[in-house]
Amino acid sequence: MAEAEESPGDPGTASPRPLMRDLKAVGKKFMHVLYPRKSNTLLRDWDLWGPLILCVTLALMLQRDSADSEKDGGPQFAEVFVIVWFGAVTITLNSKLLGGNISFFQSLCVLGYCILPLTVAMLICRLVLLADPGPVNFMVRLFVVIVMFAWSIVASTAFLADSQPPNRRALAVYPVFLFYFVISWMILTFTPQ
Amino acid sequence: MASADELTFHEFEEATNLLAETPDAATTSRSDQLTPQGHVAVAVGSGGSYGAEDEVEEESDKAALLQEKQQQQQPGFWTFSYYQSFFDVDTSQVLDRIKGSLLPRPGHNFVRHHLRNRPDLYGPFWICATLAFVLAVTGNLTLVLAQRRDPSIHYSPQFHKGISIYCYAWLVPLALWGFLRWRKGVQERMGPYTFLETVCIYGYSLFVFIPMVVLWLIPVPWLQWLFGALALGLSAAGLVFTLWPVVREDTRLVATVLLSVVVLLHALLAMGCKLYFFQSLPPENVAPPPQITSLPSNIALSPTLPQSLAPS
């Protein structure tokens, strides 16, 4: 992970260039997720900033208002965070135990970045929910979530599937499917109040 | 690794042939706790001297093989490759094991025929995960369907309840394995299954509950009980057929008590799925009281009420 460096001459001032470089790298990876191709950029220069930004955004949008009682409402911020990171770590461990040749952080990076389509779906759903509730509203949200879910799966398997021997590919991809399915379900059943 | 595999299969063919010839024979497994890949020796039963010479020869061969295997692979439990040995399965093997658990047959021992003494942790772990999530999602879905009638109801998928599935699938095999090992001290003939094999048996037997839970979305109560009973029957039958060869050597009383406890716990799990995960709606939120028959919405509403609300 690239870190901001201070030039030795000025104590206390971090030069802005490394930050821009990091942001550009993150943005480039976002593009790679949105248009998945067989490229190694995501794997080679992994970083966890992108997944962190996406996870925080998603958790902020999904959390219930503090005014609601305990029983109702959606998940807490911490629940979403735990599900995403714990899920990603579990899938990575599973992939490595099955004999995949991808490193731990590379796998976390890929899984985290591929949440981007679902975060976009969450944004769209929140916008759609500003309109009147009803069956049309629900169908639109369902359609958007399904499309983005498929996009996430395609993007992540494009990067992860090659790291497994062919007779175990399905075993490694199934947990990814489950992971994004759970996130999609949380997005679909979100109702603000 | 490939040659060890070939050897394992050859042994097993011999074992099944011998078993076919002498149906009273029992298989013992010399698998140790640390070596998940044991091997099978066939001990011909109370027939006495039949095959005694064969037995001696086989045993010395197999002892040499076992030693060789132990020298080859004995990573400590703190190394990553130790745990990797539990995930040494292919897609086709996992699917085969799932099929084996779905269709239990009296003669076919799940551990011998499908696991072939190579238990894996992939199946139990991910089947439990799938079951936990499917339960949370379908339990939530029944509320979603009701929520369309009355938008003031909120709900959240309750994923933390999934921990209870994991507790069942890992603690009960632990108890069972402990009990069987204790009984083994009493009678030395049959080696019980290793802990991993017990976990595998339970893990794969939970698979049939997944389609059952999905089918529970159909809001017809007697159909739900029917599916529950079918799934429970299949699953418990699988468990009983697998545990029977180990347990039948013991006294009748212990055998029947053990098997009934196993079936009872499984039934409690199925009931628990129904009652714990499927939240009941708060009754005051469901709007139209059934006594007002003039409202046409009643007729549309009542078939889709979740079963927890009995229409009065």
Side-chain angles (χ1 to χ4, degrees):
Chain A
M1 222 171 358
E3 292 171 13
E5 290 165 350
E6 296 193 16
S7 47
D10 353 339
T13 49
S15 67
R17 272 190 66 239
L19 181 63
M20 283 311 298
R21 185 182 67 200
D22 280 346
L23 282 176
K24 276 205 189 112
V26 168
K28 198 163 139 203
K29 291 205 193 55
F30 280 160
M31 284 299 123
H32 273 278
V33 169
L34 288 177
Y35 304 105
R37 280 184 311 253
K38 289 268 185 224
S39 93
N40 281 333
T41 312
L42 229 76
L43 290 180
R44 222 178 25 229
D45 322 314
W46 59 266
D47 74 83
L48 292 179
W49 288 114
L52 187 65
I53 295 171
L54 288 171
C55 184
V56 166
T57 314
L58 197 60
L60 278 174
M61 287 197 287
L62 269 177
Q63 67 171 344
R64 59 170 177 257
D65 297 329
S66 51
D68 281 346
S69 70
E70 280 293 318
K71 271 183 137 0
D72 307 342
Q76 291 276 23
F77 180 90
E79 280 180 24
V80 178
F81 220 79
V82 160
I83 286 180
V84 169
W85 286 100
F86 194 65
V89 166
T90 310
I91 295 176
T92 306
L93 277 178
N94 176 68
S95 172
K96 294 213 39 105
L97 283 168
L98 281 173
N101 59 6
I102 193 173
S103 95
F104 183 77
F105 287 108
Q106 281 174 348
S107 173
L108 279 186
C109 170
V110 168
L111 288 169
Y113 270 102
C114 291
I115 297 181
L116 176 66
L118 286 172
T119 311
V120 170
M122 182 77 227
L123 282 164
I124 298 178
C125 280
R126 278 215 99 147
L127 289 174
V128 168
L129 278 169
L130 292 174
D132 298 327
V136 175
N137 192 307
F138 179 73
M139 296 310 279
V140 168
R141 282 187 294 138
L142 181 68
F143 176 73
V144 165
V145 167
I146 288 181
V147 165
M148 293 302 179
F149 167 66
W151 202 332
S152 283
I153 300 259
V154 165
S156 58
T157 48
F159 295 111
L160 288 178
D162 283 343
S163 69
Q164 289 284 345
N167 54 343
R168 294 185 183 185
R169 217 158 266 172
L171 293 185
V173 166
Y174 170 71
V176 176
F177 170 86
L178 196 61
F179 176 64
Y180 288 127
F181 180 79
V182 168
I183 297 181
S184 310
W185 184 258
M186 288 199 292
I187 292 175
L188 187 60
T189 57
F190 174 76
T191 46
Q193 194 72 2
Chain B
M1 202 61 204
S3 57
D5 265 349
E6 284 171 358
L7 285 167
T8 315
F9 276 131
H10 278 296
E11 278 170 41
F12 199 74
E13 275 178 24
E14 268 178 37
T16 44
N17 287 341
L18 279 168
L19 271 177
E21 288 167 23
T22 55
D24 287 338
T27 59
T28 59
S29 166
R30 273 206 206 118
S31 46
D32 203 352
Q33 192 46 24
L34 285 180
T35 53
Q37 299 189 6
H39 70 276
V40 173
V42 175
V44 178
S46 50
S49 61
Y50 174 77
E53 290 159 5
D54 292 350
E55 194 180 323
V56 168
E57 254 181 45
E58 272 177 23
E59 290 208 6
S60 61
D61 278 348
K62 284 170 179 150
L65 198 63
L66 179 63
Q67 249 180 354
E68 194 184 295
K69 273 195 199 166
Q70 276 179 334
Q71 279 156 13
Q72 273 175 13
Q73 32 158 14
Q74 185 75 322
F77 65 88
W78 56 89
T79 60
F80 191 70
S81 46
Y82 173 71
Y83 298 103
Q84 232 171 354
S85 61
F86 304 142
F87 280 76
D88 195 14
V89 279
D90 296 337
T91 313
S92 55
Q93 283 177 333
V94 170
L95 290 176
D96 173 61
R97 290 173 187 196
I98 291 177
K99 262 197 303 231
S101 78
L102 280 176
L103 307 164
R105 281 184 283 167
H108 269 60
N109 187 334
F110 181 72
V111 172
R112 301 296 170 224
H113 283 260
H114 290 277
L115 290 190
R116 293 184 191 248
N117 291 5
R118 293 182 59 175
D120 68 301
L121 280 181
Y122 179 90
F125 184 81
W126 287 109
I127 291 177
C128 288
T130 311
L131 184 61
F133 284 124
V134 167
L135 274 169
V137 163
T138 50
N140 194 221
L141 194 54
T142 52
L143 280 182
V144 169
L145 291 176
Q147 194 247 6
R148 285 167 51 213
R149 302 271 178 263
D150 181 5
S152 71
I153 302 177
H154 287 290
Y155 47 80
S156 63
Q158 298 178 308
F159 296 118
H160 55 270
K161 287 183 178 172
I163 300 290
S164 57
I165 302 285
Y166 274 95
C167 287
Y168 178 85
W170 291 77
L171 293 180
V172 172
L174 182 66
L176 183 64
W177 171 76
F179 179 78
L180 286 177
R181 275 196 93 91
W182 173 63
R183 291 305 291 178
K184 181 195 174 203
V186 172
Q187 43 86 27
E188 291 94 10
R189 263 201 56 107
M190 281 299 302
Y193 301 133
T194 67
F195 173 59
L196 282 173
E197 286 170 344
T198 325
V199 165
C200 262
I201 297 170
Y202 265 87
Y204 281 104
S205 74
L206 286 179
F207 180 82
V208 72
F209 288 140
I210 297 175
M212 168 190 84
V213 169
V214 172
L215 286 173
W216 271 352
L217 282 174
I218 306 173
V220 178
W222 63 267
L223 206 59
Q224 288 176 344
W225 286 108
L226 179 68
F227 287 138
L230 268 177
L232 179 64
L234 268 180
S235 190
L239 282 179
V240 165
F241 292 148
T242 307
L243 289 175
W244 179 243
V246 178
V247 145
R248 74 178 165 197
E249 303 296 329
D250 213 337
T251 63
R252 260 206 118 77
L253 177 67
V254 170
T256 28
V257 166
L258 183 68
L259 288 178
S260 9
V261 165
V262 161
V263 171
L264 185 68
L265 283 175
H266 227 61
L268 280 178
L269 176 78
M271 294 278 301
C273 286
K274 189 89 186 317
L275 302 170
Y276 182 49
F277 282 89
F278 285 73
Q279 301 166 296
S280 50
L281 284 177
E284 61 271 7
N285 273 339
V286 181
Q291 292 96 2
I292 304 175
T293 52
S294 56
L295 281 176
S297 62
N298 260 340
I299 294 126
L301 182 63
S302 43
T304 58
L305 273 178
Q307 78 289 345
S308 54
L309 285 172
S312 53

